[in-house]
Amino acid sequence: MKLRDDLKRTDQLLQLTKDFSSRFLSVIDKLAADKVVKPHAPIPLPDEGFGGVTTLEKFRQRYGDQLTAASGPRYWGFVTGGVTPAALMGDWIAAATDLNAADRDSAAFNIETETIALLKSLFNLPEHFLGAFVTGATMANFTGLAIGREWLGKQHGVDIAKDGMAALSSLKVLSCTPHSSIGKSLSMLGLGRNNLVKLPALPQREAVDIAALEQYLEAHKGQPFIYIANAGTVNTVDFDDLAAVAALKKKYDFWLHVDAAFGGFAACSADYSHLLQGWELADSITVDAHKWLNVPYDAAMIFSAHPDLQVEVFQNAGAAYLGDPAAHFNFINYVPENSRRQRALPAWFSLLAYGKDGYRQIVENNVQLAQQLGALIAQDKHFKLLAPVRLCVVCFTLDVPEAQQEMAVNQFLQELNASGLTCMTRTVYQGKHAIRAALVNWRTATKDVQLVYEKMKELVIGKQVYA
């Protein structure tokens, strides 16, 4: 039996896997940041199986040339960090030990508890916040809004966790520039995408106009709301004035959810932590881990100031084998997932390996490099910087007539990404077709910014469509 054969040579298989991974990482700086790959013809499921050695070779043959440097220094597409060496160590051990993070009596429970404490220290969050790992920012937003939904129900004398949304209607969720995962979460929660009220932003900003927010709250005084504050928008890393929003919360008593998927890492730097002033007064907070924490997909954290409401939503009631939620704390009664990989371990490794100062350096280095790229773009007649570089995202477009803008941006971006040197994504900002570059990788250096900018210039110079 192939499985028994593989058991006997586990050390060899691990060494081969390590060698493959080491070779990949040794050339990550030379691999394409992005590429379009064509699928192979389907591989038939073998009757007997190939065993680990042959399967690794088949993987190399089928997919080796398709692997990209998505965790490399010039992948600036989605807001994706790399994987620090220590995080990789933790992830390998998490896979090898395969501990069930739903088991309160295992080391996984203690690891997650300890890691959450380390993260609260990194972010300077108050001790009363309950933190837990989930699969990503979408699920963290979902969890925070689910708790907020329960709070909304309580304000109307309804227990939504027990009686469902049918017992309540006419709920509204407010935000200014919500991430796409917010609409998705509202749909999944039965709150409905159409019940999201988008408030005006400040001029030439993605941050909410506080006066407009207060005007809405005053006009609907006494009606409970969820307000989703942005702590780092996707296009320009703009921040709502969280301190002002928190002051309104004291006056109007709404549920405040802060989406700080990657903007929360501003807390790591004394230069930028002021952007988060007031988030300690939030009811729930989303922070992503596979972004600026630079740990592997998929991991994020949800922080909640209301664990009593949280357990009402997510408890595993009536499952004797899982224990009594009221008697013993278990993370599975506070988050959507019951089956939980030990996502905390890569973060534990990386946090202890590099500490507060290490993450401060990552954040400040990425911001400095984004500002360098922004400065190069701002002084180049072929490009137009569309917003100040506030943290780690550069939002820009081509300086072409408006009628040509969409075609020019699409063609430029297609050619830039096809070069393999970098990967950026298209967007629309203030009605303009635009490009965004997100720098959150610990490997990125000044040379990468210069290389990418030289390629950008090469593509625009002499191209009639860009003229």
Side-chain angles (χ1 to χ4, degrees):
M1 184 179 180
K2 296 291 185 181
L3 182 56
R4 291 195 180 93
D5 292 341
D6 276 357
L7 176 61
K8 295 175 183 176
R9 48 181 167 184
T10 298
D11 286 348
Q12 178 193 1
L13 297 177
L14 291 176
Q15 184 62 47
L16 288 171
T17 305
K18 180 258 184 187
D19 292 343
F20 180 92
S21 302
S22 295
R23 285 194 296 271
F24 172 81
L25 293 173
S26 70
V27 297
I28 196 169
D29 192 49
K30 300 178 178 64
L31 292 175
D34 189 43
K35 66 169 67 172
V36 177
V37 298
K38 295 181 179 179
H40 295 288
I43 188 169
L45 179 65
D47 291 329
E48 185 181 356
F50 302 119
V53 174
T54 301
T55 299
L56 177 60
E57 179 57 23
K58 285 187 176 294
F59 173 78
R60 187 191 65 78
Q61 292 173 3
R62 288 176 67 84
Y63 298 109
D65 292 340
Q66 296 185 4
L67 299 178
T68 60
S71 60
R74 293 185 297 276
Y75 181 88
W76 302 342
F78 297 110
V79 188
T80 305
V83 180
T84 66
L88 180 58
M89 295 166 64
D91 201 54
W92 280 13
I93 293 173
T97 57
D98 199 23
L99 293 177
N100 182 358
D103 184 356
R104 191 190 184 284
D105 296 322
S106 75
F109 175 85
N110 295 329
I111 291 167
E112 183 163 1
T113 301
E114 193 164 71
T115 306
I116 289 296
L118 295 173
L119 287 163
K120 286 196 285 190
S121 176
L122 180 70
F123 298 136
N124 295 310
L125 284 175
E127 189 58 37
H128 71 267
F129 274 98
L130 171 66
F133 275 82
V134 290
T135 55
T138 297
M139 195 50 65
N141 281 331
F142 174 89
T143 304
L145 293 175
I147 309 168
R149 184 186 66 175
E150 190 71 5
W151 176 85
L152 280 175
K154 299 289 187 189
Q155 308 314 300
H156 290 281
V158 172
D159 189 332
I160 293 178
K162 291 181 179 177
D163 300 322
M165 287 295 295
L168 194 62
S169 61
S170 301
L171 299 182
K172 295 295 181 185
V173 178
L174 315 180
S175 192
C176 177
T177 315
H179 186 267
S180 62
S181 65
I182 297 300
K184 185 174 185 176
S185 296
L186 295 179
S187 175
M188 291 191 291
L189 287 164
L191 290 168
R193 299 177 194 268
N194 290 340
N195 288 319
L196 176 64
V197 177
K198 293 187 179 180
L199 297 171
L202 294 169
Q204 303 304 309
R205 295 278 302 277
E206 291 185 305
V208 70
D209 184 331
I210 293 295
L213 172 59
E214 182 165 18
Q215 184 179 8
Y216 189 97
L217 293 170
E218 184 66 30
H220 299 81
K221 201 167 187 178
Q223 182 177 344
F225 295 102
I226 295 173
Y227 180 73
I228 302 166
N230 287 301
T233 57
V234 170
N235 284 333
T236 66
V237 201
D238 210 346
F239 286 69
D240 285 353
D241 184 339
L242 299 180
V245 174
L248 289 178
K249 173 179 166 57
K250 291 181 180 179
K251 183 177 180 181
Y252 294 97
D253 191 28
F254 51 86
W255 183 275
L256 175 56
H257 175 73
V258 176
D259 185 352
F262 60 99
F265 286 86
C268 297
S269 170
D271 294 337
Y272 307 108
S273 58
H274 66 277
L275 295 168
L276 295 166
Q277 184 179 351
W279 79 329
E280 69 280 0
L281 300 174
D283 297 293
S284 52
I285 299 173
T286 285
V287 183
D288 219 332
H290 53 247
K291 289 184 170 64
W292 230 336
L293 193 64
N294 280 248
V295 302
Y297 274 108
D298 48 14
M301 294 78 62
I302 176 66
F303 295 95
S304 165
H306 302 274
D308 53 334
L309 290 177
Q310 194 169 353
V311 73
E312 286 189 33
V313 178
F314 296 108
Q315 64 179 292
N316 288 271
Y321 75 102
L322 294 176
D324 182 358
H328 301 288
F329 177 88
N330 191 322
F331 285 108
I332 63 172
N333 294 314
Y334 294 83
V335 293
E337 305 96 345
N338 278 0
S339 298
R340 306 180 70 239
R341 189 176 190 273
Q342 198 179 1
R343 292 181 182 86
L345 191 53
W348 185 90
F349 263 79
S350 202
L351 288 165
L352 291 184
Y354 311 119
K356 286 187 176 182
D357 195 53
Y359 277 97
R360 176 190 62 78
Q361 291 180 44
I362 291 173
V363 168
E364 292 181 354
N365 177 63
N366 286 153
V367 175
Q368 182 182 25
L369 294 174
Q371 290 172 343
Q372 287 178 15
L373 179 61
L376 290 169
I377 288 171
Q379 55 81 40
D380 192 312
K381 65 180 182 180
H382 299 98
F383 303 105
K384 184 181 293 184
L385 192 65
L386 293 178
V389 180
R390 297 184 176 89
L391 278 181
C392 57
V393 173
V394 184
C395 186
F396 66 101
T397 192
L398 297 168
D399 194 7
V400 298
E402 188 173 336
Q404 296 175 253
Q405 196 171 67
E406 182 176 8
M407 180 183 68
V409 164
N410 288 343
Q411 184 178 340
F412 172 79
L413 196 56
Q414 182 178 1
E415 294 184 13
L416 180 65
N417 290 347
S419 74
L421 185 67
T422 189
C423 178
M424 301 182 193
T425 51
R426 61 177 50 81
T427 190
V428 175
Y429 177 71
Q430 303 285 343
K432 293 181 171 62
H433 294 275
I435 300 164
R436 51 182 291 282
L439 285 68
V440 292
N441 189 291
W442 66 274
R443 295 174 180 269
T444 309
T446 299
K447 66 175 183 178
D448 298 302
V449 171
Q450 198 61 45
L451 280 170
V452 171
Y453 175 62
E454 291 300 325
K455 174 58 70 173
M456 290 166 59
K457 285 199 303 180
E458 176 189 321
L459 290 175
V460 297
I461 292 174
K463 297 273 188 178
Q464 186 175 359
V465 70
Y466 306 143

